[in-house]
Amino acid sequence: MEHTTAIFPVEPSAQYRWWHHGIIYQVYPRSFQDSNGDGVGDLKGIITRLDYLQWLGVDCLWLSPIFPSPMADFGYDISDYRGIHPLFGNMEDFDELLSEVHERGMKLLLDLVPNHTSDQHPWFLESRSSRDNPRRDWYIWHDGKADGSVPNNWLSVFGGPAWEWDTHTGQYYYHAFLKEQPDLNWRNPEVQQAMLDVMRFWLEKGVDGFRVDVMWHMIKDSQLRDNPPVPNAPGDPANPLYDDYLPVYSTDQPEVHQIVRMMRELTDAYDDRLLIGEIYLPIPKLVTYYGQNNSGAHLPFNFQLLTLPWNSREIASAIDAYEGALPAGSWPNWVLSNHDKPRIASRLGLSQARIAAMLLLTLRGTPTIYYGDEIGMTDVPIPMDEIVDPQGLNMPDMNVSRDPCRTPMQWSPEINAGFSARKPWLRLPYNAARVNVEKQKNDTHSMLSFYRKLIDMRKKSAALSVGSYSPVYSDGQLISYLRQEYDETFLIILNLSHRPAYFRPQNTSYNGIIKLSTEEERIGMHVANVITLAGDEGLLVQIDN
């Protein structure tokens, strides 16, 4: 039963699925809750925190990978797609978690990593064993050039060439990320069937869908042509980096959409399941992943709020460009933070992080919240000798480690912030005893209380959850827009600057009651015509009928 639908003033149309009005919450399992005192989060730990997530009001948990893995890239190098890493528990623990999630009327998504496996996966061990092994063509093997150098100029996202020499068989294999993460050859029908069988295994278990890792990487140019350099790239030609080239041949190939369609067809064979794609592409390319006649991903992740400069005109323009580019019948989505990028509070500061929360939770489309953002967690400075992220270790002088945004959830003022009875796998911030769930839960002015009020308003309002979006206007400080459904209309005004601002749209005026503000004292006030905002203030105004 969908536990959110009954709260609407009028029942939503049958066209809306749970993810249209639901809120997704990303859990990084290593860092959410440790139940056995080894310093690493696990499935039983997540189970103990489900009541908190239900209290917060989220509808769906997305778990970063929990499968068996050598952990070269902390679970994104999978050695068995049908198991649970002992670090996180066992299959019985997973079954219990899934049952407990469903008992609370929530959903559970798994992180599927189909682009590459671990180099310890049985498939790759076979593929690597000889050139005539039946699974040789399951991965991308190629001879070097005449001089023995790599087949082309493709680079690893994590630094260095994307080709690794295999002495045993005398060929190179391709890895878009670590050399311990060889890319699968998705042009091989046997690979396609094997991965669809993996999806079927988990769907049969009852998971509610998948977030598909690096979806746009899955098919490569069949001719393995060189990627062109970025014009006027400032990089060092002797030590090129991934961003010095345009990955036009190593990613986003036309054939990838056929693969996504196959995944969607399988997902749709099960009732009410969701397929999300991780895709870092410009809007015109991103929206193609919805597929022809919406036969692709239900939600190709939209990272505009995560990657754009925090500039009111740029953000407003991107929102409108995205809304305008969406195929008919498709549904938008928004993301502020994730396990690969700096946290929103570190990028913008705590005051603007509240504005960002208002934007995320009042725009049209499915929002995804990254664990800890709801209490204003910030990136934790990790000493050089404690860095464990391979991206940070491979490029030590570039300060690109993802460890700072992956630190343990801060639950209480207790030792290790209530996350673990012993030293956590990554250090906590010095202020964890002050910035945590327990301290903020009963503080009506806290970030957590603000998030909960926003979520509660969204869940109780058809206008805010599934209503239409209409831009009002933006300037050098403000973004404003309307959300409307049935006879309910909300005006959202957000000040993305630190200075006072004036909302004064031309040729029209709005009258209404402030239902939520970053300045709590203004809640309940009536506003009309020119509306003043303090620096870092956001208003949610219910318009008078």
Side-chain angles (χ1 to χ4, degrees):
M1 177 178 175
E2 295 179 2
H3 71 293
T4 56
T5 54
I7 58 179
F8 288 106
V10 181
E11 285 291 312
S13 162
Q15 76 190 65
Y16 295 119
R17 311 287 285 278
W18 63 264
W19 59 83
H20 289 117
H21 47 77
I23 296 168
I24 299 171
Y25 185 97
Q26 182 187 358
V27 169
Y28 195 68
R30 294 181 70 92
S31 294
F32 203 60
Q33 180 65 59
D34 173 21
S35 72
N36 61 4
D38 65 357
V40 178
D42 46 49
L43 297 179
K44 283 188 176 294
I46 296 171
I47 292 170
T48 67
R49 297 299 186 179
L50 291 179
D51 287 345
Y52 163 75
L53 295 177
Q54 187 178 30
W55 170 86
L56 182 61
V58 299
D59 301 273
C60 176
L61 280 67
W62 150 35
L63 299 185
S64 292
I66 53 174
F67 312 105
S69 164
M71 293 290 171
D73 188 23
F74 293 100
Y76 285 90
D77 51 319
I78 295 171
S79 56
D80 177 6
Y81 284 98
R82 302 187 190 211
I84 303 295
H85 196 296
L87 196 64
F88 301 124
N90 54 40
M91 193 60 80
E92 289 72 28
D93 297 331
F94 176 80
D95 291 340
E96 181 185 356
L97 172 62
L98 184 60
S99 174
E100 292 288 339
V101 167
H102 286 163
E103 275 286 315
R104 289 165 176 78
M106 296 190 291
K107 308 289 185 179
L108 184 68
L109 304 180
L110 289 184
D111 212 323
L112 183 71
V113 188
N115 176 70
H116 48 265
T117 70
S118 164
D119 63 355
Q120 300 304 305
H121 195 292
W123 297 345
F124 187 69
L125 295 177
E126 287 188 48
S127 182
R128 196 176 202 171
S129 65
S130 68
R131 287 200 185 197
D132 57 3
N133 185 276
R135 286 205 167 105
R136 181 67 170 182
D137 193 43
W138 280 42
Y139 294 82
I140 301 171
W141 293 92
H142 207 274
D143 293 329
K145 294 180 180 176
D147 63 359
S149 61
V150 294
N152 61 23
N153 70 351
W154 296 357
L155 297 174
S156 164
V157 175
F158 290 163
W163 295 96
E164 183 70 11
W165 175 253
D166 179 62
T167 304
H168 178 63
T169 57
Q171 280 189 313
Y172 288 93
Y173 68 84
Y174 176 72
H175 58 93
F177 298 90
L178 296 176
K179 63 181 176 61
E180 293 88 355
Q181 295 170 290
D183 279 41
L184 285 160
N185 175 18
W186 269 88
R187 294 180 182 275
N188 185 330
E190 293 179 348
V191 169
Q192 298 170 12
Q193 191 57 52
M195 197 59 68
L196 290 173
D197 286 345
V198 166
M199 294 175 66
R200 190 175 289 109
F201 172 83
W202 291 105
L203 290 166
E204 289 287 342
K205 268 194 165 291
V207 302
D208 298 290
F210 303 96
R211 173 266 192 188
V212 180
D213 186 62
V214 296
M215 181 179 274
W216 83 111
H217 273 264
M218 287 168 55
I219 292 279
K220 290 77 177 169
D221 177 48
S222 59
Q223 300 176 56
L224 302 184
R225 287 170 283 186
D226 279 353
N227 283 326
V230 172
N232 303 314
D236 177 3
N239 296 289
L241 298 173
Y242 183 80
D243 289 340
D244 292 337
Y245 290 87
L246 297 170
V248 297
Y249 293 119
S250 55
T251 67
D252 191 35
Q253 298 302 291
E255 301 94 325
V256 74
H257 297 289
Q258 180 181 348
I259 303 301
V260 177
R261 186 163 58 249
M262 292 166 59
M263 291 179 159
R264 170 66 179 270
E265 286 175 358
L266 175 60
T267 305
D268 282 352
Y270 294 81
D271 185 46
D272 224 18
R273 312 298 170 92
L274 173 64
L275 188 68
I276 299 176
E278 182 200 22
I279 302 154
Y280 283 92
L281 287 174
I283 288 172
K285 291 187 175 184
L286 172 70
V287 298
T288 64
Y289 283 79
Y290 283 103
Q292 190 172 10
N293 299 319
N294 288 304
S295 61
H298 292 102
L299 301 177
F301 259 156
N302 169 19
F303 297 121
Q304 298 298 307
L305 300 182
L306 198 154
T307 57
L308 284 173
W310 199 247
N311 173 285
S312 56
R313 285 196 173 98
E314 284 199 56
I315 298 276
S317 176
I319 294 168
D320 290 338
Y322 178 59
E323 281 277 353
L326 286 167
S330 63
W331 187 251
N333 72 93
W334 299 94
V335 182
L336 276 181
S337 299
N338 64 25
H339 62 291
D340 286 329
K341 302 291 183 181
R343 284 188 176 275
I344 188 69
S346 285
R347 286 189 281 130
L348 307 181
L350 286 170
S351 294
Q352 280 293 311
R354 292 192 181 222
I355 299 296
M358 287 192 76
L359 185 63
L360 176 72
L361 291 163
T362 61
L363 280 172
R364 190 176 81 100
T366 306
T368 296
I369 298 171
Y370 185 48
Y371 83 96
D373 277 359
E374 74 273 19
I375 60 170
M377 279 177 60
T378 52
D379 291 352
V380 178
I382 307 295
M384 297 286 284
D385 60 353
E386 294 180 20
I387 292 173
V388 292
D389 173 36
Q391 181 167 280
L393 293 172
N394 287 356
M395 295 179 275
D397 298 325
M398 298 189 64
N399 195 21
V400 292
S401 170
R402 296 166 296 177
D403 292 335
C405 70
R406 297 177 173 183
T407 55
M409 181 67 174
Q410 295 155 211
W411 293 106
S412 72
E414 298 171 277
I415 187 170
N416 299 323
F419 165 75
S420 177
R422 60 165 286 187
K423 182 181 177 182
W425 74 286
L426 283 174
R427 64 166 52 199
L428 289 149
Y430 296 114
N431 66 1
R434 180 163 45 87
V435 180
N436 56 68
V437 170
E438 188 178 306
K439 287 276 191 181
Q440 293 191 19
K441 202 168 185 181
N442 297 315
D443 177 359
T444 58
H445 302 289
S446 69
M447 181 75 82
L448 179 57
S449 293
F450 185 70
Y451 259 87
R452 190 159 182 255
K453 289 169 191 168
L454 261 174
I455 290 170
D456 185 60
M457 288 196 68
R458 179 187 175 90
K459 291 168 77 71
K460 290 177 178 176
S461 165
L464 292 175
S465 56
V466 296
S468 64
Y469 160 87
S470 302
V472 176
Y473 93 108
S474 65
D475 59 23
Q477 294 177 271
L478 299 179
I479 292 176
S480 58
Y481 48 92
L482 295 171
R483 298 296 310 282
Q484 187 169 13
E485 185 79 355
Y486 310 123
D487 59 352
E488 183 181 49
T489 303
F490 284 98
L491 169 67
I492 294 93
I493 315 171
L494 304 174
N495 186 353
L496 274 64
S497 79
H498 306 307
R499 297 176 294 107
Y502 300 92
F503 173 79
R504 42 188 171 197
Q506 293 184 350
N507 305 320
T508 188
S509 63
Y510 295 95
N511 304 292
I513 302 294
I514 297 174
K515 290 293 186 178
L516 188 67
S517 170
T518 49
E519 303 281 341
E520 284 202 11
E521 292 76 10
R522 294 192 71 178
I523 295 175
M525 290 183 179
H526 187 271
V527 290
N529 302 318
V530 176
I531 302 172
T532 58
L533 289 89
D536 306 310
E537 186 176 11
L539 297 177
L540 180 62
V541 180
Q542 185 162 16
I543 299 301
D544 297 335
N545 291 326

